[in-house]
Amino acid sequence: MDTGLIIAIVVIAIILIIIIGTVVWWISTSNTFRRMKVKVEESDSGIDVALNKRFDLLTKSLAATKGYAKHEVETLEKVIELRGKNSSQNLSMEDKNKLSSTISEVERGLNIIVENYPNLKADQTFVELQKQAADCEEQLQAARRIYNSNASLFNQKRVTFPSSIVAKRIGFTSDLEFFEVEEGKSKDVEFNF
């Protein structure tokens, strides 16, 4: 066999291997982005579930305070308004941050009402609701951490070379928003004795 022919076959084989390797890498990277996007959407749904549970518990807590407080009408109206906003499942992360912050304000108002009515604090139903609310808050925090972790991994992969080329070509051109700390909770807590 002629050496020129052997060299041509080797060059063609190398070019084919490079082309096939590039196509396989492209498909693999593209599929990785799609799987990551599904994980982010799944964790976003986890936040929605935790927020809904939080709404339900808050509504039950308000019902438990009904016999003890006269201010619950305003608070209940806020909760009903928030529930209506939360029922639209396609909220942006910014809207979810605002909604979560507003719910926290309502919860603080409920805690103030509870402080003014000592008999309510001793009511077994209300005590159980408070325990469930604490559990719900932990689940919400966990859902937020999972979402932020998945969004961070997606954003990192999207901006790093060479996967950024694939991301741009398949339409992932912007970072995913993170679920941020609620207003007021990022400030240092003051202890007044």
Side-chain angles (χ1 to χ4, degrees):
M1 227 187 209
D2 185 20
T3 11
L5 182 61
I6 293 174
I7 292 174
I9 292 173
V10 170
V11 169
I12 291 172
I14 290 172
I15 290 172
L16 282 175
I17 289 172
I18 290 172
I19 290 172
I20 291 171
T22 303
V23 169
V24 168
W25 170 81
W26 186 277
I27 292 170
S28 173
T29 303
S30 176
N31 288 337
T32 299
F33 273 113
R34 288 184 174 94
R35 280 192 301 275
M36 291 174 87
K37 185 72 171 161
V38 167
K39 285 298 267 183
V40 168
E41 289 169 356
E42 177 185 330
S43 57
D44 185 24
S45 175
I47 292 173
D48 288 338
V49 168
L51 283 172
N52 281 330
K53 184 175 180 180
R54 190 177 181 194
F55 274 121
D56 292 342
L57 282 171
L58 185 57
T59 303
K60 289 177 184 176
S61 295
L62 286 171
T65 62
K66 196 171 189 176
Y68 294 93
K70 295 178 183 174
H71 320 79
E72 83 283 347
V73 173
E74 178 183 317
T75 307
L76 186 58
E77 287 173 355
K78 276 187 183 178
V79 170
I80 290 169
E81 177 186 337
L82 292 174
R83 284 187 71 122
K85 287 180 183 176
N86 193 44
S87 65
S88 57
Q89 292 295 333
N90 295 326
L91 294 176
S92 70
M93 196 50 58
E94 182 181 341
D95 291 338
K96 287 180 185 179
N97 280 324
K98 288 178 185 175
L99 181 63
S100 181
S101 181
T102 306
I103 294 171
S104 292
E105 289 175 28
V106 172
E107 284 179 319
R108 281 191 290 276
L110 179 62
N111 288 334
I112 290 169
I113 291 171
V114 171
E115 292 299 320
N116 292 331
Y117 297 93
N119 292 339
L120 180 60
K121 288 190 278 188
D123 181 66
Q124 190 58 37
T125 303
F126 191 77
V127 170
E128 186 61 31
L129 284 171
Q130 288 295 91
K131 288 178 186 175
Q132 290 177 5
D135 181 51
C136 182
E137 284 298 318
E138 287 178 24
Q139 290 175 6
L140 181 58
Q141 292 304 321
R144 289 173 179 165
R145 283 191 299 274
I146 290 169
Y147 171 84
N148 283 345
S149 174
N150 288 335
S152 176
L153 290 172
F154 179 87
N155 290 342
Q156 290 172 37
K157 182 125 179 114
R158 191 191 67 73
V159 298
T160 55
F161 183 80
S163 59
S164 60
I165 297 168
V166 176
K168 192 172 188 174
R169 294 289 286 160
I170 62 175
F172 296 133
T173 56
S174 61
D175 282 345
L176 297 174
E177 292 181 50
F178 290 104
F179 202 101
E180 297 174 4
V181 69
E182 296 170 11
E183 282 185 40
K185 290 191 177 181
S186 60
K187 297 178 185 170
D188 196 16
V189 177
E190 291 183 28
F191 291 97
N192 295 322
F193 295 104

